[in-house]
Amino acid sequence: MESFDSGTDSRQSQLLTSVLHAAGFSSVEIELKRRSSKFFIHLDEQLCYAYDTIYVGSITEGIDGGLYYSGEKSDIDAILPFFEEICVNDGQLLLDKGFPKPEVCPDKWWYMIYIFSLIFRRITLFALHDEDFPGYMKIYGIPDIPFSCDKIPLTNRNGYLENKSFQNLVRKTDAQDLNITTETTNQFESNGPAVTEKCFTTSNFFSSKHESLTSDNVPCLEFNEWPPCATIWISRQKPNGWPTDKIIQRVVSKTCLLAPVGHRDSSDKDIQFRLSMRGENILFEHLNEVQLYCYILLKIILKDCLRPLLSTDNKDILTSYCMKNVIFWCAEGETVDWKVSNLVCCLKVCIQKLMFYLQENCLPHYIVEGRNLFNSKLKPDISKIVQNALLRLNENIMTILYLKSFKMVHFETDDFRPDLLDSLIERSIIHQCWHDKIRRLFHDFTTIEYFWLNYDRHASLESVYIYGEILSEIENYEGVTVFQNDYSLMIKSIIGLLSYSLYRRNWDNEHMMNKAMEHLFETYESSRPCILLRLATFCLIEEEFEFVLCMCSDIIRKEIKLITPKQIWNLTIRSGCKLDVVLRSKELNQLCQLKEAILAESYSQQVPNILTPEDNDILEEFKNGMFVNPYFKVTYMTAELWAVPDVIQLELLSVPERLKKFNADKYPSPKYDQVPCIRIHPLLNCYLLMFLSYDALGKKTERNEILAKINYLKADDIVVENNQVLFYNILVYCNSKAGYNKRAAKYLVRSLKIFPSRYNAAFGYLKDIVLQSLTLIRTWQMLCNCNCSRLSTVNQSVI
């Protein structure tokens, strides 16, 4: 077993490890990101029936770097399985039984496809292995059977499916889940099997746009077989006993996907699909700490050292996926002592292994050994350039510390001073918790409708039970939950108002009322106005007006600022900068204690009582505000119609067609049209509830003071999702109720001018005004007729 015994090499290994940790690659930070990603993917699966996206890559693996990482930011890799109605079978089984290939005798294959389709009641295709290019397959189907997705036909050539058809199937969303509060203009371009989605954000200071997010979306077909070309991997001798038989069984059980891309050097590349093993992420999860560090360092070497040497056309010769396979091979067969104190030696062994593959012009895929991850673009002269660079690096391995990726760490530590490195490590972990929490809360509470997708248009016991199961999933999650309290309270709020809506329709169902009260009052401990205001709405309907006024006053005292949605995310990002300033003044032992407390809070565990008053304030900021008071939209669903005041009811009744039109291309979930909702700025919601409470209590002076504040609001600051109609309609309602009909009419005209439709609640207000006017006219006419009759009678009597 190869190992360095000298003190110098051990110290170099420790320094290299510390720099990695400072850049955001400590085991604590990686584990936080992994747990966060795993929990939220699980949560999304529970919330969204249509959820089928598989996320892979650095972000889900937790190795995308931290606050002091200066390298390329990781993109998002999303695998999108399509066509659940299609069954792809392994055609090799038929070939082994003596069936000729389709090119020789297509009639028999047509017959088998027809029979299989009848049996499975699904469109059947057969995947045939390309013997010249292991790991690639051709998919055969009857040429005369058309099938499509979203009106995009899949084309074939001589019965074989063309892979380019699939690149049209990527869901072209506006990436709103990550680029949360700013407008985006997306671009899509082909990139191997993926469609790369680039999102651009308009700067607040300049009119130019800059790239803010890159997502590689890979549309795939499911292939629920283990391919023969990968069978040898299962029984192959593994010198280090890695992976174990148990891990291998788990990998095999995950089966495969087929990605729509052919081998560059194949004449059939337009009709080839590449095998992708779902279980590779299981292998990655079972790399030990040092193997993971070696993979991260190989990626940094690739991006900072090797790619700058290559021309634009050749930059994809070596990829992060190549580096991952090198690590897999080393973990299986290299006799090296994989421990932190031996990191330098381990890294050198991995670099030597990569150099060997370059010399051989062949990097075998770890599972499909016959597949070469290099192609004809790797010319001998290019290979030599890369090998020489790796040789120089191996001779002076510590030059890695001066690569671009560690530039920020170097700048912060003054030649990598150990005491400053330790400080950076603690700050980086605290920052990661801080950033991840606020990003997730914006993602789920403000932007994405996952929390509402299980709603039906009408309240039902089934919906209540579904959310009860989701709450149970969150609270009894077998892994470590991340930010559990926030999500539990949101689900309890949903169950509460949904149960109350059922109770209001069925007065004899006392059980639903008890369930509503139980869950809603549990949300009273929340710091989020978006949750508390739903509780206040319940109290308003129950005529607990003083409680409503007290709660709304407390919320307003938190200074919910009138900030346009486009600016909110920028403010939250600045909160991280403010945090950094605070953390720089702290001693290392204080940072360690604060880190432990914030990690415990992140994992919804008991926070240790070890903090100073100042650090307790920082922890409270982490729980609640994070140096800003960002608003989260208050959401009301149509299913909650009986649980909200009449002004909200009118908006919910008018929302379905308008919402469907507004969000037609944004959220492709098949249930989305069934869950119409409205979202209100919490400050407007506060004022509305206070106005209604004062009005019900007969306190006209206080009511009119609140109305003056409502009238003083500006549409551009207070509207959510550009829904100015909702804002003006609330102004119409409140002013009309207070007797200011002229002002109400002004806002009514503005609302109808923006959305001149009978689906606009303002149309209902106008209709009521007209009916009231007609009633007055009829009453006046009746009075006039009565008076005329009386005068006639009097005149006759006089005569």
Side-chain angles (χ1 to χ4, degrees), residues 149 374 402 405 511 677 733:
C149 177
F374 297 151
Y402 299 94
S405 291
H511 170 69
C677 63
Y733 178 89

Short mmCIF file of all heavy atoms in Angstrom, two decimals, residues 149 374 402 405 511 677 733:
data_model
loop_
_atom_site.label_atom_id
_atom_site.label_comp_id
_atom_site.label_asym_id
_atom_site.label_seq_id
_atom_site.Cartn_x
_atom_site.Cartn_y
_atom_site.Cartn_z
N CYS A 149 -45.60 13.69 -27.94
CA CYS A 149 -45.75 14.28 -26.61
C CYS A 149 -45.89 15.78 -26.80
O CYS A 149 -45.04 16.41 -27.42
CB CYS A 149 -44.53 13.97 -25.74
SG CYS A 149 -44.56 14.71 -24.11
N PHE A 374 -13.22 8.43 -24.05
CA PHE A 374 -12.54 9.32 -25.00
C PHE A 374 -13.08 9.04 -26.39
O PHE A 374 -13.59 7.95 -26.67
CB PHE A 374 -11.04 9.10 -24.99
CG PHE A 374 -10.37 9.42 -23.68
CD1 PHE A 374 -9.21 8.75 -23.28
CD2 PHE A 374 -10.88 10.39 -22.83
CE1 PHE A 374 -8.60 9.04 -22.08
CE2 PHE A 374 -10.27 10.69 -21.63
CZ PHE A 374 -9.12 10.00 -21.24
N TYR A 402 -2.73 27.47 -5.68
CA TYR A 402 -2.70 28.79 -6.33
C TYR A 402 -3.52 28.81 -7.62
O TYR A 402 -3.43 29.75 -8.39
CB TYR A 402 -1.24 29.18 -6.61
CG TYR A 402 -0.45 29.29 -5.33
CD1 TYR A 402 0.29 28.22 -4.86
CD2 TYR A 402 -0.48 30.46 -4.57
CE1 TYR A 402 1.00 28.30 -3.67
CE2 TYR A 402 0.22 30.55 -3.37
CZ TYR A 402 0.95 29.47 -2.93
OH TYR A 402 1.63 29.55 -1.74
N SER A 405 -9.57 28.45 -8.49
CA SER A 405 -10.64 28.05 -7.58
C SER A 405 -10.38 28.42 -6.13
O SER A 405 -11.32 28.59 -5.34
CB SER A 405 -10.89 26.54 -7.69
OG SER A 405 -11.46 26.23 -8.95
N HIS A 511 -65.76 17.77 14.48
CA HIS A 511 -64.39 17.22 14.37
C HIS A 511 -63.52 18.09 13.47
O HIS A 511 -62.35 18.36 13.80
CB HIS A 511 -64.45 15.79 13.82
CG HIS A 511 -63.11 15.24 13.46
ND1 HIS A 511 -62.14 14.92 14.41
CD2 HIS A 511 -62.54 14.97 12.25
CE1 HIS A 511 -61.07 14.47 13.80
NE2 HIS A 511 -61.28 14.49 12.49
N CYS A 677 -55.67 30.01 -7.17
CA CYS A 677 -55.42 30.69 -5.90
C CYS A 677 -55.18 32.17 -6.17
O CYS A 677 -55.06 32.60 -7.30
CB CYS A 677 -54.18 30.08 -5.23
SG CYS A 677 -52.66 30.31 -6.18
N TYR A 733 -63.55 47.70 -2.78
CA TYR A 733 -64.37 47.10 -1.71
C TYR A 733 -64.32 47.94 -0.43
O TYR A 733 -65.36 48.28 0.14
CB TYR A 733 -63.87 45.68 -1.43
CG TYR A 733 -64.62 44.98 -0.31
CD1 TYR A 733 -65.75 44.24 -0.57
CD2 TYR A 733 -64.17 45.07 1.00
CE1 TYR A 733 -66.44 43.59 0.46
CE2 TYR A 733 -64.84 44.44 2.03
CZ TYR A 733 -65.98 43.70 1.76
OH TYR A 733 -66.65 43.07 2.78
#
